[in-house]
Amino acid sequence: MTTPSPWRHRALAPVDCAGLRLRNRLAVAPMTCVSATAQGLATAEMAAYYADFAHGGFGLVITEGTYTDSAYSQGYANQPGIVSTTHTAAWQRVTDQVHAAGSRIVLQLMHAGALAQGNRFRPVTAGPSAVRPRGEQLANYGGGGAWPVPVPMTQEEIAEAVRGFAASAVRAREAGFDGVEVHAANGYLLDQFLTDYTNLRTDCYGGPVGQRVRLMRETVAAVRSATGPGFTVGVRFSQAKVNDHTHRWAGGACEAETVFTAACSAGADYLHIAGSGRDWFTDERLDDGRTVAAVARESTGLPVIANGGMHDPARAARVLEEGHADLLSVGTGALANPDLPRRFEGRTVPAPFDPAVLKPLATLANARRVRAVQPL
C-alpha cells in the first residue's frame, strides 16, 4: 500500500529556469535598504540580511538596485555600488553566504538617472530630457521636496552609461553572483527612456516606442556580450514608477510586446515584471485582457517572474497554475516572512508586513530597531 504524497504548493517545486537551478519558484524581489557604507560597500549586516532569505528557503535572491558607474547612476546615499574592485570584494561576502545557505543570487544593476537624490559623484541629475520628474523625492530613502530638472544626456554620456552596466556585470560575475538583472523599471534611467512623457528626444533614442527601447536594448546586449555564456541576464520592467504609481503604458499590449521582444532579441534570459501588490489579476490586465506577465511570456518564450502580493499562497498558486509566470518574486512579504517558503510548506499564514520598518528610513538598522520592540 502506497502512502499518499503530502500536499505541496506549486511554488515549492524545484525548477531549472533561465540557466539557474533553483530549489523552488520563490524569489526575493529587489528592495532598496540604503545600508551600504558611504562609499557603496556591501557590509556584514547586508550579507546576513540576504543570507536570511536563503536560510528561510527562497530559491532565488535578487539584490537591491546597485549603481553602475561613477557618473550619474547613484540614486541614494548609502546605496551599494559595483564600480570598483573594493565593491566586488565586499559583495563576495554576500554571495558566499547566500550560496552556503543553498540559494542562487542575482545582482540588480541600476542607473537612477533623473530620479537620483543622493549621488556623491555628481551635483546634478541626468536623464533623457529636461523634464522634471513627477511627485516628490522619496523620504524613506533620504530625499525631500521636488525633483530637480535633469540635464539631457549627450550620446557620449549615454554610451558611458551602457559601458557602466557592462563593466559592472563583469564585476558581479567576479564577485560570485549567478547573474545580473538590468533595472528597466520603476521610473529609473532605462524606464525614463522607455516612457513617452519623460523622453522627448528627437534623436535615435526618442520618438515612437520602437526607438525609445533602444537604450534598454543596447544595455542588455552589452551586458550579455561582456559576461559571456553561463551567466544569467534578466531585465525588470514595470508600468508604474516609484514617483508615478498610476502610470500605465499608453500602447497597452502592443507597446508591451515591443518592449519585451526588444529585451529578448538583445539576449535576456528572463523578464521580471514588477506589480502593484494590490489586486494583481485586475491591476495587471492590459487592453487585450492578458496580464502583463502573460504578454511577456507569450511574446518572447522567456521565463517570467511575476511580482505583486505573491506572499499570498492562493494568489501565488493561481498565477502559476494559469501560466502567467514561471517564478514569483516577493517584496514586503519577504521582509515580514524571510522564511516564506517554509510557511508555504507548512501551510502557515504569512505574518503581516509592518510599514514601520521603512520609517523614517528604509535601512536595515531601522528594521532591526522596530523588530526589537515588537511583542513576541
Side-chain angles (χ1 to χ4, degrees), residues 129-167:
S129 305
V131 176
R132 187 187 302 277
R134 294 178 179 176
E136 294 191 342
Q137 295 184 35
L138 309 179
N140 287 2
Y141 303 142
W147 301 93
V149 176
V151 175
M153 296 175 74
T154 65
Q155 293 212 8
E156 175 50 36
E157 288 169 336
I158 291 171
E160 180 182 28
V162 173
R163 291 193 295 269
F165 273 98

Side-chain angles (χ1 to χ4, degrees), residues 163-331:
R163 291 193 295 269
F165 273 98
S168 292
V170 172
R171 292 190 185 94
R173 186 164 194 169
E174 293 170 351
F177 284 97
D178 300 294
V180 292
E181 181 176 282
V182 175
H183 198 351
N186 302 117
Y188 297 110
L189 183 72
L190 301 187
D191 190 29
Q192 290 158 28
F193 273 80
L194 290 172
T195 301
D196 51 7
Y197 74 81
T198 54
N199 183 352
L200 306 181
R201 300 177 73 95
T202 57
D203 62 6
C204 58
Y205 291 97
V209 66
Q211 292 175 205
R212 298 198 308 272
V213 300
R214 178 170 180 156
L215 178 56
M216 179 275 295
R217 186 175 60 238
E218 289 181 349
T219 300
V220 175
V223 168
R224 174 77 283 159
S225 176
T227 53
F231 190 70
T232 297
V233 176
V235 190
R236 195 179 207 217
F237 295 106
S238 69
Q239 295 193 90
K241 311 174 189 306
V242 294
N243 64 315
D244 184 1
H245 298 292
T246 62
H247 181 263
R248 295 294 181 268
W249 289 330
C254 182
E255 182 169 341
E257 288 180 350
T258 300
V259 171
F260 299 150
T261 56
C264 179
S265 67
D269 294 307
Y270 74 80
L271 303 179
H272 185 179
I273 311 301
S276 66
R278 295 186 288 274
D279 185 352
W280 192 88
F281 288 95
T282 298
D283 291 350
E284 297 304 307
R285 297 282 178 189
L286 291 169
D287 54 341
D288 66 355
R290 292 180 294 168
T291 64
V292 184
V295 171
R297 200 168 184 243
E298 293 165 12
S299 62
T300 66
L302 293 176
V304 168
I305 304 177
N307 167 262
M310 296 302 160
H311 61 281
D312 177 79
R315 178 182 297 180
R318 183 180 168 191
V319 169
L320 294 175
E321 287 166 4
E322 294 184 359
H324 298 274
D326 303 272
L327 303 178
L328 310 171
S329 75
V330 185

